Amino acid sequence: MDDDRLSGIAARRHRLAAILRPELPSIVEELVREVRRALPEYGRLLDQAQGAVLRQRVEYIAKLFVDLVEYPELPRTESDKTFRAIGRAEGHAGRTLDPLHAAFRIGGRLAWRRIARVERQRALSANDVSWLAERLFAFLDELTALSVQGYRQAQDQARDAGHGLRRRLLQLVLKRPAVSRAVITDLARAAGWTVPEQCAMVALDAEPSGRLHPDPTLGADVLADLREPEPCVLVPGPVTPERLQRLSMAFRGAHIAIGPTVALGDAAASLRWARHALRLVGDGVLPDVPVTVCAEHWSTLWLLTDPALLRQVTKRRLSPLAQFPVKQRSRLAGTLFAWLRAQGNVQETAAKLKVHPRTVRYRMRQIETAFGDDLRDSDARFEIEAALRALELLGVPYSS
């Protein structure tokens, strides 16, 4: 019974395909004519060669439909590729899919009208007509879906190409030795980017997922390179509160550091400070907050810029403390730092340390004996205070 049923379905397919094939030349002519009438620009959209491509595609689609009526198991790899390519062509040309899908609708309407005419001429049964209608509209749905896929591929490719061009532009801005302004201006013109006089660089740490995605709300005037290992963003001009809020929202879940506003040619320096700030956040020196603004932490960033130099300054200026036992060294270092910050005011120093003023005087006599003239020399005193401040920032007590 099943074999008989399958045989009957196959016979129907062969019979209906045999009826439709002779109709193909005239329906292709009618379709091309109607598409050109309803969409007069369509011949130009597809090709400049007098609509030749339009005719070829109409012929291809009409023949494919009839072939699938007869042989639904036909491989679809090449045809699917063709319809995606049509969608991609629209995307690459910067157009919408409206004209293409309008042409599909016109084709469906005319094909259905032709089926109705054949029904009358050949006395097709209601089952035959229903079966053909089902396949026709399913076929058109597939064409539409495949063209959408191709169109989205083209959009993705264009977006990737645009991001690549803007990433290249950002790399040129940051390149050292500096690239000429003319080279940057030429590439900026191709990327559709207005070259600013000033900018601020933004350094980012990836969110827990390890992924950062560009956000259109940042604005077209922003350049971004969000690839690992050190993603960054260039923001034209000073970072306004509104821009800061948009950055925070766009990269929620990531740590952000805003470098200083500088001339465009100094963008690399702004980025260097921003990345330094991120490292200090990671080390626990700066507060663990979503957004760190370098301008709020200048002294910390400056003091901790060069660890090797800091070690040399510390070794030179705090070496007098090495003569005291380890526990006493840390206590005396804390007293000296508080005294320097209080500009020698014993009462203020005692209040800061929560000790009696006599204790401060006693410790300072020991310190003055150890340091000698250095505490009366302005340059030496400045370096001593800087070294003690850096140790406090690092949370490291002086021990040697």
Side-chain angles (χ1 to χ4, degrees):
M1 180 66 179
D2 287 343
D3 289 343
D4 291 342
R5 185 174 61 83
L6 291 173
S7 177
I9 292 173
R12 168 194 276 176
R13 289 172 178 160
H14 294 315
R15 176 171 52 82
L16 291 176
I19 292 172
L20 293 176
R21 275 205 176 84
E23 303 287 332
L24 287 179
S26 61
I27 197 170
V28 166
E29 289 297 328
E30 187 178 0
L31 276 169
V32 170
R33 189 168 56 251
E34 183 62 19
V35 167
R36 283 177 171 167
R37 188 197 65 77
L39 304 168
E41 79 280 16
Y42 208 81
R44 295 192 304 276
L45 286 177
L46 286 175
D47 198 346
Q48 297 297 322
Q50 303 299 320
V53 171
L54 172 61
R55 178 179 298 277
Q56 290 169 6
R57 288 178 179 172
V58 170
E59 288 174 347
Y60 180 81
I61 291 170
K63 181 177 182 302
L64 178 63
F65 172 69
V66 176
D67 288 344
L68 290 172
V69 165
E70 187 168 12
Y71 304 108
E73 305 85 2
L74 281 175
R76 296 290 303 273
T77 305
E78 287 304 315
S79 60
D80 289 357
K81 206 179 289 186
T82 298
F83 297 125
R84 289 192 190 97
I86 292 173
R88 278 198 302 275
E90 298 298 298
H92 286 316
R95 296 185 291 266
T96 72
L97 282 175
D98 291 346
L100 182 64
H101 289 174
F104 287 165
R105 289 192 296 273
I106 291 170
R109 187 170 64 249
L110 292 182
W112 176 245
R113 190 185 303 163
R114 182 60 62 94
I115 288 172
R117 184 191 305 172
V118 170
E119 174 193 14
R120 293 191 300 271
Q121 292 173 346
R122 305 295 291 269
L124 296 181
S125 69
N127 284 340
D128 286 341
V129 173
S130 174
W131 188 86
L132 281 173
E134 182 180 342
R135 274 140 191 82
L136 173 63
F137 293 112
F139 179 67
L140 292 173
D141 286 344
E142 288 177 21
L143 299 194
T144 301
L146 289 166
S147 66
V148 168
Q149 289 177 16
Y151 186 78
R152 287 175 178 166
Q153 288 171 358
Q155 287 185 314
D156 290 344
Q157 290 167 359
R159 187 162 49 247
D160 290 345
H163 289 158
L165 188 62
R166 293 170 77 86
R167 280 197 300 267
R168 174 61 179 154
L169 181 56
L170 179 54
Q171 290 167 1
L172 287 181
V173 170
L174 296 172
K175 190 175 177 60
R176 289 295 173 270
V179 175
S180 74
R181 180 85 173 199
V183 172
I184 291 173
T185 301
D186 287 345
L187 188 59
R189 190 178 298 113
W193 185 65
T194 301
V195 180
E197 291 301 320
Q198 292 184 311
C199 69
M201 292 301 303
V202 181
L204 303 106
D205 264 348
E207 54 190 320
S209 67
R211 294 187 301 273
L212 289 168
H213 303 287
D215 191 314
T217 62
L218 289 177
D221 57 347
V222 168
L223 297 181
D225 186 350
L226 302 181
R227 298 172 299 177
E228 294 293 343
E230 294 183 310
C232 63
V233 172
L234 181 151
V235 178
V239 179
T240 63
E242 293 77 14
R243 180 83 79 175
L244 192 60
Q245 184 177 19
R246 277 191 281 169
L247 284 166
S248 181
M249 293 293 291
F251 299 111
R252 184 178 296 171
H255 284 97
I256 302 172
I258 313 293
T261 299
V262 296
L264 185 68
D266 294 324
S270 179
L271 181 58
R272 186 172 64 251
W273 284 109
R275 285 175 174 164
H276 182 40
L278 275 189
R279 286 192 292 271
L280 293 181
V281 171
D283 292 341
V285 175
L286 292 180
D288 185 3
V289 293
V291 180
T292 300
V293 179
C294 286
E296 298 173 0
H297 303 281
W298 278 134
S299 62
T300 300
L301 292 168
W302 168 63
L303 284 171
L304 302 181
T305 295
D306 191 332
L309 180 59
L310 174 61
R311 284 193 295 271
Q312 292 299 318
V313 173
T314 301
K315 181 179 179 180
R316 179 186 180 196
R317 291 305 182 186
L318 301 185
S319 60
L321 293 173
Q323 62 188 278
F324 298 100
V326 173
K327 288 185 178 179
Q328 192 176 0
R329 288 176 207 165
S330 179
R331 192 162 54 242
L332 291 175
T335 301
L336 175 56
F337 185 42
W339 181 81
L340 289 167
R341 296 184 74 179
Q343 298 181 351
N345 187 308
V346 172
Q347 299 294 331
E348 187 178 334
T349 303
K352 175 70 175 176
L353 297 174
K354 297 182 173 59
V355 299
H356 196 278
R358 282 197 301 271
T359 302
V360 173
R361 291 190 186 97
Y362 171 71
R363 292 178 184 173
M364 284 308 302
R365 282 195 294 271
Q366 293 177 293
I367 291 168
E368 287 169 350
T369 299
F371 280 83
D373 291 340
D374 280 357
L375 292 184
R376 290 182 288 276
D377 180 273
S378 59
D379 291 339
R381 195 167 60 245
F382 172 77
E383 291 183 7
I384 291 168
E385 184 174 356
L388 291 168
R389 169 65 174 160
L391 292 176
E392 182 190 59
L393 289 169
L394 293 171
V396 179
Y398 180 74
S399 59
S400 62

